[in-house]
Amino acid sequence: MKLAAKKKARTPQILSRVSALGAFVVIAAIIIVYHAAPRQGLVWDDIYLTTKNPYLQSISGLPTLLTKDWWTASAMGESSAYFRPTVLFSFWINRLFGNTAASYHVGNLVLHCAASVLLLAWLRLNAKLNTKLLVCLGVWFGVAALNTETVVWISGRCESIGVCFGVGALLVNRLPGRRWMLLTYALALLSALSKEPFVFVPLLVVSQDVLLQKSAVKECVVRGAAALATVAFYFLLRRAADVPTSSAAASVGVFGALRSFAFMLYTMAPLVLLPLHLDTAHLYRPLPIVGLIAVGLVVVGGFAFLGWRIHRGSNAARLAAFGGAVLLVTLAPVSLVNADQGYAGERYFYFPLLGLTIMAAAGLGLVSKFSATTFVVGALALVQAPLTMARVNDWSDELTLFRSSVTNDPSNGYALYALADIEARSGDYDGAEQHLIAAEQLGWHDHHVDLVECFVYMRQKRHALAEKTCVKATESGPTDPRAWLNLASAYVNGGKPKDAEGAASNAIQLKPSYAEAYFVRGLARSRLGKTDNARADLQETLRINPSHTQATLALEKLSH
């Protein structure tokens, strides 16, 4: 009896050691594969959200970071429908360790390590896998090339933070008692406040209660009510922060949403095991009806089979069904965004890949007694490693990133537009024009193309064409302050100061802290003879941006 009691007492300690060793292996594998990540640069939104974000510089910026939308609480100073205070707060914490690209990249790496270890801990509690197989599966998720965008793109940490809070909620949910239930849904709420699609995490908590913990009906009802209350509270927080809640489903429609969801599954599937064609912008190409039906049959048939196996008492089927729920619930909302914007980023697959990993764990549990199983999973992880390391280098800068996109898919009109945008900002206007023409020939034309065309023609001093395309940009994006600023600049260059004054005023109305718009309006008003108004605009430009050299010179000239 004493021996049995001693053995039982030692079991938690042994399990803790195994867990710590497994976590160490997973973290070590991630660090090895992503060792070059801290050397990569700032891409896309990174500079506005991090190094140039005025609200990260001191504690006085915290209220804005926690109560304002994504872009208002950044150097952009524009309103948006994104409310992600947890991510903005993580940038503020990160800033304490240095306001450099390397510092933020290390922060992303830490978050990915945390998400991978939390997944390992969850699998250890729910999947019947031996230690070696469990660790191999954890390493596979940690080094999977499909996760590279989330790990290396600083602004992409929304996904890893959401997963950390989401899996944390699932882990705490296993503990009995009302206080743990409160913590569970608090973590689920924080997951939702990391990215809009994660608003469904509270429902995954209830799914875990039903499928894995087999909670009593009364308990499931209580927890279901708590989940709905959490979702309602999330929307109340958005309303309190004056962040609009818009639905992409309204513009996409039910059939469009289904086609987009099928496309996302179809795109994700081959990238899971053999990610040879990674791209930050997978162009949205709706599947034909036959393909849509085929994907639908696989999904419905798969869940029907799992339902039958659950009815027969299979715990592995319960685990697989829960993994499938994670996959579908986290992929469905981002499918709407994909259909709306015309392309899909690989960051959208981060949380769904976690669901797929859970499904894999359920299947592997059935064959774990075979020694070859661990070898196969380990080999798959090894295959991922060099592909991930190569992909990390594509994120060194925007130009390299989109050149890799065009190499991967020469017909990707969005990537060609992105190259044009980069070239225009770097002064290569002829190169930008060529890429814009190529993008439009492939059928890619949206508001952002109008913006870049307008900018390029202005820089080329083709005033009539610039004015025409700038007007077009305001028509395709009437709420975009950059479009109105470009039009105001085109009018100034074209000798139309009165029209320039009106366009610049529209830009200021949309973005009250727009220094460049005040500057252009100041130039227009000086040419109209409105000296006092012009001086006020130039002074406001310098108040917002004290280093605006052109405004300083214009103000000095106005004073003489």
Side-chain angles (χ1 to χ4, degrees):
M1 289 292 289
K2 285 184 178 181
L3 183 63
K6 186 176 181 180
K7 185 176 180 181
K8 186 176 181 180
R10 287 183 59 192
T11 300
Q13 295 179 5
I14 294 171
L15 289 176
S16 296
R17 289 171 189 165
V18 170
S19 179
L21 179 61
F24 174 80
V25 172
V26 170
I27 292 172
I30 291 172
I31 291 174
I32 290 170
V33 170
Y34 285 100
H35 70 278
R39 297 199 298 269
Q40 308 311 314
L42 301 170
V43 176
W44 280 342
D45 311 327
D46 291 346
I47 193 170
Y48 305 109
L49 291 167
T50 58
T51 55
K52 286 192 174 182
N53 191 342
Y55 303 106
L56 299 184
Q57 309 312 313
S58 68
I59 196 170
S60 63
L62 270 179
T64 299
L65 295 173
L66 298 176
T67 62
K68 298 297 181 182
D69 69 85
W70 184 247
W71 288 124
T72 296
S74 74
M76 292 285 285
E78 299 174 11
S79 60
S80 71
Y82 304 131
F83 187 49
R84 303 170 182 178
T86 58
V87 184
L88 292 170
F89 181 68
S90 80
F91 288 142
W92 188 86
I93 294 293
N94 216 147
R95 168 70 177 79
L96 300 177
F97 298 92
N99 194 31
T100 63
S103 171
Y104 293 108
H105 278 303
V106 170
N108 271 37
L109 204 53
V110 169
L111 288 166
H112 179 55
C113 286
S116 301
V117 169
L118 285 168
L119 172 61
L120 184 71
W122 190 91
L123 289 174
R124 178 171 165 268
L125 292 172
N126 293 278
K128 294 182 178 180
L129 301 178
N130 62 62
T131 302
K132 291 181 181 178
L133 185 53
L134 183 68
V135 172
C136 284
L137 191 59
V139 169
W140 178 83
F141 178 83
V143 303
L146 193 56
N147 289 334
T148 309
E149 182 170 318
T150 295
V151 182
V152 185
W153 185 31
I154 295 169
S155 304
R157 68 169 59 175
C158 305
E159 320 293 331
S160 52
I161 291 179
V163 164
C164 285
F165 285 126
V167 179
L170 296 175
L171 284 168
V172 174
N173 188 49
R174 291 179 57 90
L175 301 174
R178 289 290 181 258
R179 62 174 181 174
W180 294 114
M181 186 178 76
L182 289 174
L183 180 57
T184 294
Y185 288 102
L187 290 170
L189 176 64
L190 290 173
S191 181
L193 292 172
S194 302
K195 193 170 183 179
E196 289 68 26
F198 302 159
V199 69
F200 295 108
V201 167
L203 303 182
L204 291 178
V205 173
V206 179
S207 298
Q208 178 177 267
D209 288 325
V210 174
L211 289 169
L212 302 182
Q213 296 173 205
K214 303 177 185 178
S215 301
V217 174
K218 183 179 179 180
E219 184 67 16
C220 288
V221 170
V222 170
R223 290 179 176 269
L228 293 176
T230 303
V231 173
F233 187 59
Y234 164 77
F235 284 108
L236 284 175
L237 288 176
R238 289 180 63 94
R239 185 172 181 179
D242 199 26
V243 180
T245 300
S246 57
S247 174
S251 60
V252 174
V254 176
F255 183 69
L258 290 173
R259 293 190 75 174
S260 179
F261 180 71
F263 166 79
M264 293 290 278
L265 279 177
Y266 178 80
T267 302
M268 181 182 178
L271 297 175
V272 171
L273 294 178
L274 201 60
L276 296 178
H277 299 289
L278 295 173
D279 198 333
T280 192
H282 292 274
L283 209 59
Y284 176 49
R285 296 184 175 97
L287 297 179
I289 297 298
V290 174
L292 178 62
I293 293 173
V295 172
L297 288 175
V298 169
V299 173
V300 174
F303 274 99
F305 173 75
L306 290 174
W308 173 70
R309 291 297 300 159
I310 290 171
H311 180 70
R312 297 290 297 271
S314 171
N315 288 327
R318 287 179 175 274
L319 183 61
F322 178 72
V326 174
L327 172 65
L328 297 185
V329 166
T330 56
L331 192 61
V334 296
S335 299
L336 301 176
V337 177
N338 159 62
D340 194 47
Q341 70 184 8
Y343 64 90
E346 285 162 0
R347 60 192 179 278
Y348 299 151
F349 299 129
Y350 191 80
F351 212 141
L353 187 62
L354 183 141
L356 197 61
T357 305
I358 294 173
M359 295 179 73
L364 291 170
L366 301 175
V367 294
S368 60
K369 61 182 179 180
F370 301 107
S371 58
T373 304
T374 302
F375 174 80
V376 170
V377 176
L380 290 174
L382 285 175
V383 168
Q384 294 280 336
L387 298 173
T388 301
M389 288 190 281
R391 182 59 176 163
V392 167
N393 292 325
D394 287 340
W395 283 85
S396 59
D397 55 61
E398 290 184 16
L399 192 60
T400 304
L401 179 63
F402 284 106
R403 279 176 175 168
S404 73
S405 292
V406 173
T407 300
N408 175 63
D409 181 6
S411 65
N412 190 331
Y414 174 79
L416 290 168
Y417 143 73
L419 282 176
D421 184 37
I422 296 165
E423 289 163 341
R425 285 184 277 121
S426 64
D428 183 7
Y429 306 121
D430 292 337
E433 185 177 10
Q434 292 303 313
H435 277 125
L436 286 171
I437 292 172
E440 294 192 71
Q441 287 176 342
L442 291 168
W444 185 270
H445 192 108
D446 65 357
H447 167 63
H448 297 96
V449 172
D450 292 334
L451 275 179
V452 178
E453 283 183 337
C454 166
F455 180 77
V456 167
Y457 294 145
M458 275 198 295
R459 295 299 181 179
Q460 291 176 330
K461 301 189 185 303
R462 298 157 73 177
H463 300 307
L465 195 54
E467 183 179 319
K468 180 181 177 181
T469 54
C470 288
V471 168
K472 191 176 177 183
T474 60
E475 292 171 347
S476 60
T479 59
D480 187 345
R482 285 181 296 266
W484 290 103
L485 173 64
N486 284 350
L487 180 57
S489 300
Y491 281 143
V492 166
N493 294 333
K496 298 180 178 179
K498 184 63 178 176
D499 293 330
E501 181 186 25
S505 296
N506 287 340
I508 292 168
Q509 185 176 2
L510 292 166
K511 183 178 176 180
S513 61
Y514 209 170
E516 198 63 26
Y518 280 104
F519 171 67
V520 173
R521 191 171 72 174
L523 293 181
R525 285 177 167 176
S526 68
R527 296 181 185 181
L528 290 170
K530 299 179 179 180
T531 306
D532 291 339
N533 290 333
R535 182 179 294 107
D537 281 338
L538 294 172
Q539 288 172 341
E540 182 64 14
T541 302
L542 292 171
R543 187 193 67 80
I544 299 169
N545 180 12
S547 61
H548 200 298
T549 308
Q550 289 179 299
T552 302
L553 294 174
L555 192 58
E556 290 176 354
K557 185 178 179 181
L558 205 62
S559 301
H560 292 322

